[in-house]
Amino acid sequence: MISPIEVFGAIGVGMNFSTSEEIYAQDEETDMVYQVQRGAVRASRLLADGRRQIAGFYYPGDLFGLETGPTHRASAEALCDSKILVAKRSAIKHYGEAGERLERLIWRATGQELGRAQDHMMLLARKSAYERVAGFLSDVAQRQNAAWNELAMSRQDIADHLGLTIETVSRMITQLQADGLVALEGCRRFRIRAPDRLADLAAA
């Protein structure tokens, strides 16, 4: 089976971005689609009152910048040194079978993105701080699928994504560790110690 990165790699052009470098700006016109090949990306939106909302995080294999309108609703920045594959969406149809594969990949990724957005709205509306942080760590672990998972983002990024303060995020991570659900190595690496219990919290 051909992997998403192989599908995109047949058409996309690789670009390197350093930590915190902007990939595209909020309200910038778009005809591009992007895929993380290496590293991690943060999508954020600056609200009218000056607050920042983190729309999502993307890891190797993830597509992003999948806008339905003519401009980006959020900006995207590299969380660490990253390699991003970029393809001009209007040109995909000229790539024959490879273009058709990529179009299918884009539609599937768009559906996944919509599902994540709906889940995130429910999370902000109904879940406790403990459940929000548990759900976030569970999602990162599922998407990275590694024994030890890396948090490329800062605690402030997590707080802005979950609608919490940085102090609350830190307290909840400490509580999850004390409850035996996760184990931490430093500030940025963690592993799931009780997958079923964490999944139950995430689904609460």
Side-chain angles (χ1 to χ4, degrees):
M1 181 176 178
I2 301 175
S3 73
I5 287 181
E6 288 174 320
V7 171
F8 206 107
I11 296 174
V13 175
M15 299 180 66
N16 293 311
F17 294 87
S18 56
T19 302
S20 298
E21 185 176 356
E22 186 177 78
I23 299 167
Y24 56 76
Q26 180 175 324
D27 297 323
E28 181 180 305
E29 291 186 4
T30 177
D31 183 33
M32 302 292 184
V33 62
Y34 306 81
Q35 185 186 53
V36 183
Q37 187 175 56
R38 183 183 69 249
V41 170
R42 170 185 62 220
S44 61
R45 181 172 176 81
L46 189 64
L47 304 178
D49 59 7
R51 290 179 298 160
R52 184 184 68 155
Q53 181 182 49
I54 302 295
F57 302 100
Y58 302 95
Y59 306 98
D62 288 344
L63 273 67
F64 64 101
L66 304 172
E67 307 290 352
T68 55
T71 60
H72 288 294
R73 292 177 52 82
S75 63
E77 304 89 25
L79 282 167
C80 53
D81 290 346
S82 302
K83 183 173 183 179
I84 308 299
L85 294 174
V86 183
K88 192 172 181 65
R89 193 160 187 173
S90 60
I92 291 173
K93 61 180 177 290
H94 300 302
Y95 284 89
E97 185 179 351
E100 292 175 5
R101 284 198 189 118
L102 183 52
E103 282 286 8
R104 289 195 294 270
L105 191 64
I106 290 170
W107 279 111
R108 186 163 67 245
T110 301
Q112 292 171 342
E113 186 86 342
L114 179 60
R116 285 195 196 106
Q118 292 172 335
D119 289 344
H120 191 62
M121 285 190 291
M122 291 294 292
L123 176 149
L124 295 179
R126 303 189 58 173
K127 295 190 177 184
S128 68
Y130 189 69
E131 291 166 343
R132 293 184 197 187
V133 175
F136 177 78
L137 295 179
S138 179
D139 180 64
V140 170
Q142 287 176 10
R143 292 170 71 184
Q144 293 191 11
N145 193 28
W148 283 89
N149 306 283
E150 301 287 340
L151 290 172
M153 68 292 296
S154 68
R155 295 282 173 94
Q156 186 63 63
D157 286 337
I158 298 172
D160 289 346
H161 183 56
L162 298 180
L164 302 170
T165 65
I166 189 171
E167 293 82 8
T168 299
V169 169
S170 294
R171 284 201 310 272
M172 295 305 101
I173 290 176
T174 299
Q175 188 62 53
L176 287 165
Q177 187 175 22
D179 291 344
L181 274 69
V182 300
L184 269 70
E185 185 178 271
C187 295
R188 296 292 183 104
R189 298 187 80 224
F190 75 95
R191 66 179 178 89
I192 306 300
R193 295 182 60 192
D196 292 341
R197 290 172 59 199
L198 195 68
D200 287 344
L201 271 176

